[in-house]
Amino acid sequence: MFINSKISNSIAIDCTRREISSRARLPLAITGLLLTAQAQAFLPTPLSIVTTGELAPSSQTAVAINPQTPIASALSQNDSSSDNSVSANSNNNNNNDATLVQNAEAEQLLMTWRQQVQADNLAQHTTWRRLLYFLDDKKSLFAQGESKSLVDNKNFFLSANGQQDSGAELDAMLVALTKEVTLSAAKKNSNSKIPTVSNNSVLCRFPARVQWLTEQLPIDNSRLQAKCPALDNWMATLAPEQLSVMFAQEYLDNPLSAFAHTLLRIDSKTSAADSNQIHHAYALNDTVDGDPDDSFVIYAIKSMTGRYNNKIEIDPYPKKLAKYLQDDERDAWTYQLALTPAEVQQVMSHVWETKELSLPYYFTTDNCASEILRLIDVVRPKKHLLSQLPYAVVPSDVVQLLADEKLLANTRYTPADNTLRQAQLNDAKQSRKQLSYRNTGQDTFNDIKSAQINPASSISADGQSLLPITIAVADNNPLDRQSLQNGHIGVGQRGDNRYIDVGLRAGYHDSLDRPTGFPQFFNLEGLAATLRLYDTDDRDNAQQPSSVVLQNFTLIRGRSFNPVNSAKKGKTWGVSIEATRVNDGSQQDGTDHLVGSMTYETGKSWAFGTPRAQTGEMPPQLCYALATGATQAGRGINKGVRVGAGVNAGCRYQINNQLRAQAELQLPYWYHGGSDEPDVRGHYWQPVTTLGLQYDIDKKQALRLNASYDWQDRVDANDDIQLSYRRYF
């Protein structure tokens, strides 16, 4: 077949001399130029080879694109092999001409996009790199801003070099989008309906990346409309319209939840309009994918060192909320995020891209709370939220950071079941008091039994909605709490020796700290150290200690109080692992020594006093009695080790909102083992009394008085008193 012309010019098309017209010569000449190898020198071709084979695991649909081959050639191959509706008859000139036009258009699109990418340096754009898990501004104890993606999964990238080179991955996306635009145009020409594409299409696998690129480049989004069965069904099920952070308060009875927990609430239009309609909402939870057969110690170690992977769970919100409110009985606070519907959609599109990834889980740095910050950073690139908490990401700090960055729209309090039962107990006691009846222990016992028989819950009986709140809001909103870290400097005297203490605590909260914003009677400390600097001017004092000593290093110390006369369930117990200085009472004039110490306590506690009106809070005062077992080891004490058992009993008293006091009697009986030396005791009682008093200057400052007296007569110094200034930061 040939085209006749009155002009005697010709061109070889099928190895036969053909005559062509002047009208046809110009477009064919231009098309031929674009398809020559020489023309490719003028196009910004990527340095690395870009393959689209990774787009589809099936070898039948994969098309390799060589950098020395025009993109039009690869597209033409794909068209002829996978889309018969576009090229039904290879001998039809009209179809061939249409394909040439499409390929020429694809070349022009790709060249335009590449030029804009280079001009705007989009390959290094913060959002693009975050979409690929390049956390450039994330520093931690385990990763100091590595210049490669954290994802080690080839299916997450289109380019073979995508994990190391965000530019190569961006160029691979441009090539893939060019193919999608061309194929979409061809399909629409043959069918006016929106085409259905494979779930392996780049449009279906990486919707967040595609959306971001359409916002940055002159891409006609209407040409990328496609039906993605799996993605569309997932989005239709969740119907994301609004996102909120749900904060479940600290829970010491489950050590892995001791620092609280956060998850994302995904609201549809229905639950966004009425937050009580929780059956229209879902929960997105980032958690550890641990081995339930591992012991607690192994589980904890692996969780903290990245030996487990993370796991993204998406469950109906009522199911997840019930676990915290009813099973664990933890109050919950929900904070709506100030994100636009478009940002919500983009966050969820990114979740779709990443939900199946296996990434290391670090209990302190890459956890449930850090994932929320990372997702928000994707749509708010200027915030740099994750980098503001580089070494420890604690749920309450995340909530506070979001508030500081003006990212919280509103707040909702949801009381746990035990909080509602406690409100019933408080009402019953108040009613008897108004009638001048005396509240007895039997009355309290009967009230507790009645509350258990007639349970109250914030969730409706069918589990579909939240019920109206009938009690006052508790004083445990984490936005109101003081900072978890603190430092202190104090002056004191131990026996005849004066000293200065300097200390630092990484977290969390002890029984004398300001209680607002925390669960009642919450007591958990970790990674705290104190140095003591003694005045060494008295050279005649033989018992004078060294000038600088490590007074204490606490790995963890905590107590869980569940008063028996309250609505709370569970036991009262405590544990501590620390290095501390102790007086050895086995030898005459025994001095203090640094020892490693492990202690476990279990017993009962009681709450008393008058709780705040109309709340589900327990009475503010607390007393406790704990059976104690301890082991201490160190070179300075007799035989290097001692074991002890005894009783710790004390009371904590909330004098007013700014002043608290605590007194305790420790009554351990220590055993070192037998000894042939007449002046050495192998076992003995060593009672110690302590007193603490703290006055809050404001939310960030406090004064604290500590005093102790060791009743053992064989120690070099019985008394120790100190006044310190504490700063929370």
Side-chain angles (χ1 to χ4, degrees), residues 712-727:
Q712 172 60 243
D713 58 0
R714 286 193 160 203
V715 297
D716 65 330
N718 298 91
D719 56 308
D720 190 333
I721 187 168
Q722 176 190 137
L723 178 66
S724 63
Y725 167 79
R726 308 177 78 83
R727 176 78 180 184

Side-chain angles (χ1 to χ4, degrees), residues 265-268 270-272 274-283 315-322 325 334 412 414 458-460 462-467:
R265 169 173 165 165
I266 307 168
D267 281 305
S268 64
T270 302
S271 58
D274 182 358
S275 60
N276 291 327
Q277 300 302 311
I278 56 175
H279 63 293
H280 290 288
Y282 283 83
D315 297 303
Y317 188 69
K319 172 185 174 182
K320 210 67 180 177
L321 185 61
L325 298 182
T334 306
R412 178 186 176 121
T414 310
S458 295
I459 302 177
S460 63
D462 60 5
Q464 299 298 296
S465 61
L466 289 176
L467 300 175

Side-chain angles (χ1 to χ4, degrees), residues 511-540:
S511 55
L512 285 177
D513 285 329
R514 182 174 177 266
T516 297
F518 292 90
Q520 273 189 282
F521 313 131
F522 185 73
N523 187 349
L524 177 65
E525 300 175 82
L527 297 179
T530 300
L531 288 178
R532 181 164 289 187
L533 292 74
Y534 279 101
D535 181 358
T536 58
D537 290 342
D538 188 1
R539 300 182 182 276
D540 296 331

